[in-house]
Amino acid sequence: MSSALDALCVNTIRMLSADGVQKACSGHPGMPMGAASMAYVLWTRFLRHNPRNPHWPDRDRFVLSAGHGSMLLYSLLYLTGYDLSLDDLKAFRQWNSRTPGHPEYHLTPGVEITTGPLGQGFSSGVGMAIAERFLASRFNRPGHTIVDHFTYGIVSDGDLMEGVCHEAASLAGHLRLGKLVYLYDDNHISIEGSTDITFTEASALRFEAYGWHVQCVEDGNDLAAIEAAIAAAREEVARPSLIAVRTHIGFGSPGKVDNPSAHGEPLGEEELRRTKENLGWPLTPSFLVPREVSERFRSAIEEGARREEAWAKRFRGYAEANPALARAWDDWMNGILPEGWDRDIPVFEPDAKGMATRAASGKVLNAIAPHVENLMGGSADLAPSNKTEIQAQPDFQAGDYSGRNLRFGVREHGMGSVLNGMALHGGIIPYGGTFLIFSDYMRPAIRLAALMGLKVVYVFTHDSIGVGEDGPTHQPVEQLACLRAVPNMTLIRPCDANETAEAWKAALQLPRPVALALTRQAVPVLDRLQMAGARNLNRGAYVLKEAARARPDLILIGTGSEVHIALEAADQLKEKGIMARVVSMPSWDLFEAQDEAYRNQVLPPEIKVRIAIEAGVTQGWSRYVGDSGRVIGMDRFGASAPAGVLYEKFGFAPRHVVETALSLLHKK
């Protein structure tokens, strides 16, 4: 390969990126121009992928964590032969295009992950590397290797500044994820100016302290040095690798190189002209791809097909030698749950004393786990409280990557992003646990999981003021409303052990992230012979206990631990001759998915007097109680006291519900 052709290929990436941003009059040209050389080396000399099948299971994964440089990725995808046209590049950032401002999973062929919020791509890549090691340990056999790939990424100064990156990097170093290789676009520029004003730490030393293999390339256009560094990183099997490549944002632009304005502004027509002249590039046409450049990049099509066919041949031999494992592989990769996966889920007997729904969740998890062997996860150092440990299974640790129990440590930020990477990789159903209050730490990752439609299960325990003595810092009040506000996300707050079992069933079958909100305190296990069955949870809300007459006087709606308060209040109202229907509403999202006829059956429009009871903020409940109803909620922070005292003091008691009902019905 001639150095002249290399230079032409690198400049093609630069100019496609600059032309795309200029045509859109919006975007980030500087990063693609500065990082083009290292991206070129990675994509043409190391990355194992098949442009004609972006979903080949044993492909290398590429994460552009610096998602603002999306034109870099789109240029590479187009040049190497993915289903992306030059017209798609010309439609950058436009309505209904396949080249949005930041890369979006599911939208653009070859994009492995939605990135843009800095630090998230870096951290999710750690999850991809975890998934690769787990699947390799589970499926590879002597003489038959079907899982053997790398996770690569390009990360930025901004990624390394974000706290979530620190958590994920620390975990990756501890786990010794040697097949994780990140190229650090060390251009010394952020939006506000030189990183000298904010970011002067010794990043290389920090990553060495995390247990990473760290190299530095002083010239970001030295292709040979970059190639040697990546080759060395691939040989370092016991540590993840960071390669700090000293680049120059806006390289090639006489007026904007090393200038913060190159980060988020088009070069401008005049500066674009000067850049092309400076690089010896034709002024016209725009979006030029020289023939020899296209031939060089498009060799990835034939090479990718050859690599995948070689893998397919290996897999056929593997399937002959290990037919049961091959069938399991196909099921895992296609998201198919095994037949009878839920057969051992317990049916909990009625019990007035009851159990915490977090405890029920732990029992259900361990009834499912032996059958769903790709269910894998853990907790942010709270497994004994969250009940998230899979019994009789080892931990996932360096030296034994077959374990299904992940010890995330006190790293909620990182845990959320790692779960996303595991789900994106394919073959794994990941779950993660913490207290509901700390879902706030995970919110960026949760939002991205919903945006990408990932199957991730969140086990959020200690879901209300029922936390008790730990006080308002640990008592979630606004978190239920926050999670309900996320589109394409299902929140389920079960009222007892049997609803919890149904919640887990739903979580493993829904094609999107699901959050389980579970109690710390014990709640009664309801007698389902006297009330509606818990399987109705799948409809989001259902009539748990009907009133004694055909037309109730009012409807009491509860979620989680407050359903039991509604039931007691209904009994007390009945003694006063007032008939109340009790509705359990574990999931707004699932209820809204039902047809109007069912929703009206549960909440008849003609019954105007309704009371919703939930130990969380009242926001949103008006849609269900209407103008004539009332919400008993927590529009303030909690306090430190035993749970029973708090429920009484804050009005979550049958007596208060009865008083509210009488007031609404104008009865004394």
Side-chain angles (χ1 to χ4, degrees):
M1 181 190 304
S2 70
S3 59
L5 180 56
D6 286 341
L8 194 62
C9 288
V10 171
N11 284 336
T12 300
I13 297 171
R14 290 184 174 123
M15 290 299 96
L16 282 176
S17 300
D19 281 339
V21 172
Q22 189 61 44
K23 188 174 189 302
C25 296
S26 173
H28 302 73
M31 181 270 176
M33 296 172 71
S37 292
M38 63 181 176
Y40 169 69
V41 172
L42 175 62
W43 276 65
T44 59
R45 302 181 190 177
F46 293 98
L47 195 70
R48 298 168 62 252
H49 62 121
N50 184 359
R52 295 302 161 86
N53 181 12
H55 306 294
W56 167 36
D58 202 36
R59 69 192 181 279
D60 289 336
R61 270 59 170 179
F62 175 75
V63 176
L64 183 66
S65 191
H68 55 273
S70 57
M71 271 303 301
L72 173 68
L73 180 54
Y74 301 147
S75 297
L76 291 164
L77 292 172
Y78 165 71
L79 289 168
T80 53
Y82 283 80
D83 182 20
L84 205 66
S85 70
L86 206 56
D87 285 339
D88 287 323
L89 268 61
K90 294 176 181 179
F92 178 55
R93 289 189 163 221
Q94 304 309 300
W95 172 256
N96 208 32
S97 80
R98 296 199 295 171
T99 50
H102 292 83
E104 294 184 27
Y105 178 66
H106 282 322
L107 181 62
T108 311
V111 170
E112 300 278 8
I113 176 176
T114 298
T115 55
L118 291 174
Q120 291 294 326
F122 180 110
S123 305
S124 292
V126 173
M128 293 179 181
I130 287 172
E132 191 275 343
R133 290 290 78 201
F134 174 72
L135 293 171
S137 70
R138 284 285 171 140
F139 286 99
N140 290 348
R141 292 294 183 271
H144 296 282
T145 299
I146 62 169
V147 183
D148 183 18
H149 55 265
F150 282 79
T151 299
Y152 296 103
I154 292 180
V155 305
S156 66
D157 290 303
D159 288 300
L160 267 58
M161 291 186 210
E162 288 286 358
V164 67
C165 158
H166 298 241
E167 293 188 8
S170 176
L171 180 62
H174 167 74
L175 293 173
R176 304 179 70 82
L177 299 175
K179 303 189 79 174
L180 178 65
V181 179
Y182 284 158
L183 294 163
Y184 166 28
D185 180 27
D186 185 15
N187 63 34
H188 293 196
I189 295 293
S190 63
I191 292 175
E192 293 185 356
S194 169
T195 53
D196 289 344
I197 64 174
T198 57
F199 191 52
T200 54
E201 66 189 52
S203 295
L205 294 179
R206 169 157 64 91
F207 275 81
E208 286 179 3
Y210 286 148
W212 286 54
H213 173 231
V214 180
Q215 303 173 80
C216 295
V217 175
E218 296 301 327
D219 180 359
N221 291 310
D222 186 339
L223 305 188
I226 294 168
E227 181 175 9
I230 297 174
R234 286 171 53 90
E235 292 299 317
E236 177 53 64
V237 297
R239 291 180 291 172
S241 289
L242 182 76
I243 305 171
V245 184
R246 178 66 174 101
T247 60
H248 297 272
I249 195 169
F251 183 87
S253 170
K256 293 202 172 186
V257 64
D258 290 332
N259 192 311
S261 66
H263 170 81
E265 301 174 8
L267 296 180
E269 293 291 353
E270 176 60 22
E271 186 61 25
L272 180 59
R273 181 189 65 77
R274 293 178 63 207
T275 301
K276 290 181 177 180
E277 290 176 343
N278 185 47
L279 293 175
W281 195 260
L283 298 182
T284 59
S286 59
F287 296 93
L288 171 65
V289 179
R291 177 186 53 78
E292 58 269 42
V293 169
S294 182
E295 290 174 355
R296 170 70 189 95
F297 276 106
R298 292 295 167 97
S299 65
I301 297 174
E302 181 179 347
E303 179 69 11
R306 185 188 66 77
R307 288 184 183 278
E308 183 175 357
E309 177 51 38
W311 177 85
K313 182 178 180 180
R314 292 199 305 274
F315 188 83
R316 288 192 290 270
Y318 174 85
E320 290 179 5
N322 305 278
L325 282 173
R327 287 193 297 272
W329 169 268
D330 288 338
D331 286 347
W332 287 24
M333 290 300 149
N334 290 297
I336 299 172
L337 294 170
E339 185 176 353
W341 66 273
D342 57 350
R343 65 173 175 264
D344 291 331
I345 293 178
V347 175
F348 297 91
E349 294 298 319
D351 182 355
K353 183 180 179 182
M355 70 173 66
T357 54
R358 61 169 174 151
S361 172
K363 294 179 184 297
V364 175
L365 169 63
N366 277 282
I368 294 171
H371 305 291
V372 185
E373 294 187 22
N374 58 335
L375 182 62
M376 176 187 185
S379 172
D381 197 48
L382 289 169
S385 290
N386 298 150
K387 310 300 182 186
T388 49
E389 185 170 351
I390 300 176
Q391 297 163 7
Q393 279 288 318
D395 291 347
F396 180 94
Q397 293 285 355
D400 182 5
Y401 292 129
S402 67
R404 294 164 63 189
N405 288 305
L406 270 166
R407 305 297 181 179
F408 287 103
V410 188
R411 301 185 181 104
E412 283 91 354
H413 300 72
M415 178 176 71
S417 303
V418 167
L419 294 173
N420 286 352
M422 293 166 64
L424 284 161
H425 181 280
I428 293 173
I429 304 173
Y431 68 88
T434 187
F435 293 169
L436 178 58
I437 192 72
F438 301 133
S439 65
D440 288 349
Y441 286 157
M442 300 172 63
R443 188 168 175 79
I446 291 172
R447 184 177 188 273
L448 285 173
L451 184 61
M452 291 185 276
L454 304 182
K455 184 188 284 291
V456 178
V457 182
Y458 306 107
V459 182
F460 293 137
T461 69
H462 297 58
D463 70 344
S464 72
I465 56 173
V467 170
E469 291 87 344
D470 279 342
T473 61
H474 283 56
Q475 292 167 5
V477 292
E478 75 273 27
Q479 281 67 31
L480 294 172
C482 287
L483 292 170
R484 286 180 180 132
V486 180
N488 199 39
M489 163 92 182
T490 294
L491 171 70
I492 305 177
R493 190 172 184 236
C495 75
D496 75 344
N498 287 307
E499 273 198 0
T500 303
E502 294 297 329
W504 264 104
K505 290 181 187 178
L508 264 63
Q509 296 177 88
L510 288 168
R512 56 182 176 272
V514 174
L516 308 180
L518 306 169
T519 66
R520 175 200 186 194
Q521 73 275 24
V523 291
V525 180
L526 300 176
D527 185 348
R528 295 294 172 165
L529 295 178
Q530 304 298 318
M531 302 178 199
R535 65 175 57 90
N536 288 292
L537 172 137
N538 290 284
R539 307 196 78 169
Y542 61 100
V543 180
L544 176 63
K545 185 176 182 180
E546 190 54 279
R549 70 167 68 103
R551 179 186 169 91
D553 295 305
L554 76 160
I555 301 174
L556 302 178
I557 311 168
T559 75
S561 48
E562 289 74 73
V563 168
H564 307 280
I565 297 170
L567 287 167
E568 290 185 43
D571 288 342
Q572 292 181 19
L573 285 167
K574 184 177 179 181
E575 293 175 0
K576 298 178 180 293
I578 297 170
M579 304 304 164
R581 167 184 287 186
V582 177
V583 170
S584 176
M585 187 178 280
S587 175
W588 292 11
D589 176 65
L590 295 179
F591 185 59
E592 293 298 332
Q594 307 305 308
D595 59 40
E596 184 179 9
Y598 177 78
R599 297 198 306 272
N600 288 341
Q601 177 186 332
V602 175
L603 301 175
E606 64 272 15
I607 302 177
K608 304 294 185 183
V609 179
R610 304 174 184 181
I611 302 173
I613 314 158
E614 184 174 70
V617 296
T618 59
Q619 179 180 329
W621 274 107
S622 59
R623 76 177 70 179
Y624 298 119
V625 300
D627 295 337
S628 301
R630 188 75 54 81
V631 183
I632 298 174
M634 277 291 294
D635 287 322
R636 56 153 289 176
F637 294 115
S640 180
V645 173
L646 293 174
Y647 268 78
E648 177 65 33
K649 294 293 186 182
F650 289 128
F652 297 99
R655 172 182 57 78
H656 183 63
V657 177
V658 170
E659 291 171 356
T660 303
L662 293 175
S663 174
L664 290 174
L665 293 166
H666 306 293
K667 294 185 179 181
K668 304 295 183 184

